[in-house]
Amino acid sequence: MYNHTVARLTYRALLGRRRALILCALPVLLVVIAAAIRAMTGADDQTAADVLGGFALATMVPLIGVIAGTGAIGPEIDDGSVVYLLAKPVKRPTIIFTKLLVAVGVSVVFSAVPTLIAGFLLNGNSQQIAVAYAVAAAVASVAYSAIFLLLGTVTRHAVVVGLVYALVWEALFGSVVEGARTLSVQQWALALAQKIGADGAITSAVGLPLALILLIGVTVVATWYAGQKLRSLTVAGDD
């Protein structure tokens, strides 16, 4: 289910000079903001939760997921080079799964790690807030990578659709609209953060059992369907 050549090509595409700069921008901004807040106001648990929840998990993580997930396959489909990849004797699900692993790895490094660093800067991991949000960022990265990888296989406008989803649904509706929270990856990840953090430090609109089911279900279904779409793309190319 893992192909080293596909992984190497995907890493090269994701970590090219331009995309790497974009991937670094938000994490660096988060760490700078965290350091500035700590210097100006000192350690405060509520401030740490607000910054990590409002900026890191609600905005930074899905945006990095858009870049990593769509960038893992979208450019190859857009410029037609995916035809050369599909011509190789590699199973289509293996291609998708390998690209998903690469996208997840990149997303976790550029989202969960900076979230952990920012959390320690903000309050020294008081009430396990830094660790809780870092774990939530890592878990959310898996689901986002699968969702946006699927988008990259079904539409040539995956980045635009992904940005709308990340900025409108997750950052806006998923945070403030009551009914939309149940269908928000952010809230699913917060359910796990709530379990890890101290009592009352973090809250989620979704219970942990349901959140885990939805996280796993969405990741599996999105990955499976992306593989099916890649199969149909191969047939279309052959025709």
Side-chain angles (χ1 to χ4, degrees), residues 145-233:
S145 295
I147 292 170
F148 297 128
L149 180 63
L150 171 60
L151 280 178
T153 65
V154 300
T155 175
R156 292 182 178 273
H157 306 291
V159 174
V160 175
V161 176
L163 288 174
V164 171
Y165 175 86
L167 296 176
V168 178
W169 185 264
E170 290 289 0
L172 182 58
F173 288 102
S175 300
V176 300
V177 179
E178 190 69 28
R181 293 181 180 180
T182 305
L183 300 177
S184 168
V185 175
Q186 173 194 347
Q187 292 298 322
W188 305 343
L190 277 175
L192 185 58
Q194 181 179 357
K195 181 67 174 180
I196 297 172
D199 290 342
I202 303 170
T203 59
S204 172
V206 182
L208 182 58
L210 177 59
L212 291 176
I213 291 172
L214 291 171
L215 281 167
I216 295 171
V218 165
T219 302
V220 171
V221 171
T223 304
W224 171 81
Y225 192 60
Q228 297 304 305
K229 293 299 293 182
L230 202 60
R231 287 180 186 271
S232 67
L233 181 64

Side-chain angles (χ1 to χ4, degrees), residues 4-237:
H4 291 286
T5 301
V6 174
R8 185 176 68 254
L9 293 173
T10 306
Y11 273 118
R12 185 180 300 174
L14 285 179
L15 300 178
R17 182 177 299 176
R18 182 184 302 175
R19 190 166 277 110
L21 289 174
I22 297 174
L23 283 169
C24 288
L26 286 173
V28 169
L29 179 60
L30 172 64
V31 173
V32 170
I33 290 174
I37 291 176
R38 178 63 183 268
M40 291 186 295
T41 65
D44 181 78
D45 294 344
Q46 186 58 52
T47 300
D50 291 341
V51 173
L52 297 182
F55 180 71
L57 191 60
T59 303
M60 183 187 76
V61 176
L63 286 178
I64 289 177
V66 171
I67 298 170
T70 62
I73 195 169
E76 292 175 309
I77 294 178
D78 290 341
D79 63 20
S81 61
V82 70
V83 174
Y84 299 99
L85 177 61
L86 297 177
K88 302 297 182 182
V90 182
K91 294 180 179 179
R92 306 306 174 249
T94 297
I95 294 174
I96 289 297
F97 189 71
T98 301
K99 287 182 173 293
L100 175 63
L101 289 181
V102 173
V104 168
V106 170
S107 295
V108 169
V109 169
F110 284 94
S111 60
V113 174
T115 298
L116 182 65
I117 294 172
F120 272 96
L121 285 173
L122 285 164
N123 75 338
N125 195 38
S126 174
Q127 299 193 71
Q128 292 291 305
I129 289 176
V131 171
Y133 275 104
V135 171
V139 170
S141 294
V142 177
Y144 285 133
S145 295
I147 292 170
F148 297 128
L149 180 63
L150 171 60
L151 280 178
T153 65
V154 300
T155 175
R156 292 182 178 273
H157 306 291
V159 174
V160 175
V161 176
L163 288 174
V164 171
Y165 175 86
L167 296 176
V168 178
W169 185 264
E170 290 289 0
L172 182 58
F173 288 102
S175 300
V176 300
V177 179
E178 190 69 28
R181 293 181 180 180
T182 305
L183 300 177
S184 168
V185 175
Q186 173 194 347
Q187 292 298 322
W188 305 343
L190 277 175
L192 185 58
Q194 181 179 357
K195 181 67 174 180
I196 297 172
D199 290 342
I202 303 170
T203 59
S204 172
V206 182
L208 182 58
L210 177 59
L212 291 176
I213 291 172
L214 291 171
L215 281 167
I216 295 171
V218 165
T219 302
V220 171
V221 171
T223 304
W224 171 81
Y225 192 60
Q228 297 304 305
K229 293 299 293 182
L230 202 60
R231 287 180 186 271
S232 67
L233 181 64
T234 305
V235 173

